[in-house]
Amino acid sequence: MKTLRIAAIAALLSATSAFAEDYTAGDITIAHAMAFETAKNAKVGGGYMTLTNAGDQADTLVDIRSDAVPMIQLHKSETDANGVARMFHLEDGIPLPAGETVTLEPGGLHVMFMGLDGNPLVDGEEVKATLIFEKAGEVDVSFSVEPRRGDAMQHMNHDKSD
Ligand SMILES: [Cu+2]
């Protein structure tokens, strides 16, 4: 009986880790890479992940590329004094200080999947992309597409000037 129980727990753990796989590139660990499903006619979708730099030197996520979507960029959302959220293309990338964790999350730093227009991100699918770090090099990751939680992203205006 004991063996059976351990097998059941192992199956549960592997199911969980398949859902949120971790990736590494040098001293950088990439965890919880996910994206929210998008409406059928949405032009953009957001991608999120947690980046940990376990090294003793600062690094930078300089860019991201993907063959899965027409355009992909690193963005930052900011809310102005009138409560209007806008986002900006981070052309210099995202700094990753030594020994720190940087989280891409709704309302802040994010990956922007662009030009979707009729090809939405679908719950249960994955979006493959390549992260490009200044020092740690390149690593392929998959963003797991998950159902929307609330509508936080719906009210954002996309800054077309980027
Ligand atoms: Cu954006």
Side-chain angles (χ1 to χ4, degrees):
M1 286 310 280
K2 200 171 194 177
T3 322
L4 262 180
R5 185 168 298 164
I6 290 165
I9 291 168
L12 197 68
L13 285 174
S14 66
T16 306
S17 60
F19 195 66
E21 192 178 344
D22 285 3
Y23 304 89
T24 56
D27 291 324
I28 311 292
T29 301
I30 301 104
H32 313 302
M34 61 80 61
F36 286 117
E37 64 183 349
T38 59
K40 210 196 301 190
N41 297 317
K43 290 188 167 54
V44 299
Y48 309 98
M49 60 188 158
T50 303
L51 302 170
T52 300
N53 181 358
D56 55 13
Q57 283 188 79
D59 203 342
T60 302
L61 175 60
V62 290
D63 208 354
I64 185 168
R65 65 169 187 264
S66 175
D67 295 331
V69 292
M71 200 196 306
I72 189 167
Q73 291 179 344
L74 298 172
H75 276 195
K76 183 178 188 181
S77 293
E78 283 176 353
T79 305
D80 69 15
N82 299 316
V84 177
R86 295 185 181 284
M87 46 189 164
F88 305 91
H89 179 198
L90 297 171
E91 292 178 62
D92 296 327
I94 297 173
L96 303 170
E100 292 193 18
T101 295
V102 174
T103 304
L104 282 68
E105 58 193 346
L109 300 167
H110 58 278
V111 171
M112 191 101 279
F113 303 105
M114 304 169 80
L116 300 181
D117 225 3
N119 291 299
L121 305 181
V122 178
D123 177 24
E125 292 189 351
E126 298 205 319
V127 184
K128 291 185 189 303
T130 302
L131 305 181
I132 304 157
F133 296 98
E134 186 177 28
K135 296 198 178 83
E138 299 191 358
V139 61
D140 293 335
V141 301
S142 289
F143 291 85
S144 304
V145 182
E146 297 180 14
R148 258 183 189 289
R149 292 194 298 256
D151 62 351
M153 288 292 291
Q154 311 258 13
H155 303 295
M156 285 189 181
N157 296 325
H158 191 255
D159 180 11
K160 293 204 168 57
S161 68
D162 62 357

